[in-house]
Amino acid sequence: MAEITQPTGTWTFDGDTLRIVPGHGRGVHALRTALGEIAVPLEAVAGVSHETGKKSGKLRLRLRGGADPLTQATGGWLPDAADPYRLEVDRDRAGIADYLADAVRDALTIEQVPDTATDRYLLPGPSVPLTLHGSDGEMVFDGEEVRISWNWAAEESKKATGFRSVRLGEVAAVKWSPPRLESGYLRLLPRQGPGPGKPSHDPNCVVLWGWRPAREIAESALLAAAVTARLPHPSAAVEPPAAAGVLDKPAEGGAAGGGADPDTVLRRLRELGELHRSGVLTDEEFATAKKAMIDRL
């Protein structure tokens, strides 16, 4: 067991799972507080490092591509203060940080965990419902659809579209940009229709002006991750046949026909439906794969 506790959080590694618990107080970013405890399985980890400095250092956890919907949705744009996979380390705790990093690296070597991209999410998305209070409107996601409404600050072109309800099946991906010196946004990229225009005029996009940056980052990143987790995994878009085959494979550590996590099975069923509707899977392939997934329940 390796553990390090700092004002912004605690990391504990037991050989199989790295548990990340946020700290308390004003110095802890709102996103870390909202995420709560994160259990990162060893198979989701690509690497870990401890970077030392004159006054303090940083523990950095690097996840495998496609393993985490939050990392996938935010695309590396999270500021350090909001990133749950980074921990500020006091200089007098450098030895403990090195010990934890070595323990994780040794476990990766022993278990021969690859650092390549995954074919499924190994961490869950945030729980729903979630609400984003943007600068020109509001997004609410209940797990099945995103409801969008506008306020007085929205452009007239957005107001003209009125209240919108966008179902998951209509969404191809999510694009997120945090509020910085310029406006950020959370945008739903549609499967069909014209390409997106400027964020301020796109009816599928809520703008973030950075008036309350910590809250806007927390709310928008959580909602983006929650939607991303419920869309087909990126590997399905890159290599549809291989991704479809993965859906038929028993969950690791279990046998086909039982023992699968219900939430995972339901997410796979939604992915199957998307592949079927897009023409990747034939009717027969869809029926066979669907039966195999339902049998696991």
Side-chain angles (χ1 to χ4, degrees), residues 132-147:
L132 164 61
H133 302 91
S135 302
D136 63 351
E138 181 178 275
M139 279 188 178
V140 180
F141 180 51
D142 63 5
E144 298 294 337
E145 64 180 9
V146 180
R147 299 188 295 276

Side-chain angles (χ1 to χ4, degrees), residues 1-36:
M1 177 77 73
E3 180 176 286
I4 181 169
T5 298
Q6 292 292 272
T8 56
T10 297
W11 287 20
T12 305
F13 181 60
D14 63 6
D16 296 312
T17 304
L18 177 64
R19 297 192 180 278
I20 299 174
V21 180
H24 303 284
R26 298 181 61 182
V28 180
H29 196 279
L31 177 57
R32 294 190 179 191
T33 300
L35 286 169

Side-chain angles (χ1 to χ4, degrees), residues 18-271:
L18 177 64
R19 297 192 180 278
I20 299 174
V21 180
H24 303 284
R26 298 181 61 182
V28 180
H29 196 279
L31 177 57
R32 294 190 179 191
T33 300
L35 286 169
E37 179 177 333
I38 302 174
V40 183
L42 183 65
E43 64 174 334
V45 178
V48 63
S49 64
H50 175 223
E51 304 165 6
T52 58
K54 291 183 178 180
K55 295 184 178 180
S56 63
K58 286 186 178 69
L59 267 174
R60 296 178 184 265
L61 188 68
R62 183 167 58 88
L63 301 182
R64 296 170 64 191
D68 175 35
L70 175 66
T71 304
Q72 183 72 30
T74 54
W77 288 104
L78 279 178
D80 281 4
D83 190 341
Y85 306 117
R86 301 185 186 188
L87 181 68
E88 289 283 341
V89 178
D90 294 338
R91 188 175 181 180
D92 62 353
R93 293 293 184 270
I96 299 175
D98 284 336
Y99 177 75
L100 186 143
D102 287 342
V104 174
R105 283 193 289 264
D106 289 346
L108 290 172
T109 300
I110 293 171
E111 297 299 329
Q112 297 184 336
V113 178
D115 61 1
T116 54
T118 65
D119 56 17
R120 66 192 189 281
Y121 289 122
L122 301 177
L123 283 86
S127 300
V128 293
L130 289 168
T131 301
L132 164 61
H133 302 91
S135 302
D136 63 351
E138 181 178 275
M139 279 188 178
V140 180
F141 180 51
D142 63 5
E144 298 294 337
E145 64 180 9
V146 180
R147 299 188 295 276
I148 309 174
S149 57
W150 310 112
N151 61 30
W152 62 271
E155 295 286 344
E156 291 302 322
S157 59
K158 283 187 173 180
K159 292 179 182 178
T161 65
F163 175 84
R164 292 176 54 73
S165 178
V166 183
R167 297 194 63 80
L168 275 181
E170 303 172 52
V171 180
V174 176
K175 190 172 183 180
W176 181 81
S177 177
R180 292 168 292 180
L181 295 178
E182 299 179 357
S183 298
Y185 56 84
L186 176 56
R187 168 180 268 157
L188 307 177
L189 301 179
R191 289 188 177 277
Q192 298 179 347
K198 293 182 178 180
S200 58
H201 294 279
D202 184 355
N204 294 313
C205 180
V206 167
V207 173
L208 312 170
W209 290 341
W211 288 342
R212 301 180 181 88
R215 190 185 82 169
E216 288 185 345
I217 287 174
E219 292 184 352
S220 59
L222 285 172
L223 197 147
V227 173
T228 298
R230 291 162 175 81
L231 293 175
H233 190 270
S235 63
V238 177
E239 298 177 341
V246 167
L247 296 174
D248 295 337
K249 189 168 64 176
E252 192 165 329
D261 176 65
D263 289 339
T264 300
V265 173
L266 291 174
R267 186 168 70 249
R268 296 290 182 269
L269 286 172
R270 283 194 291 269
E271 293 176 0

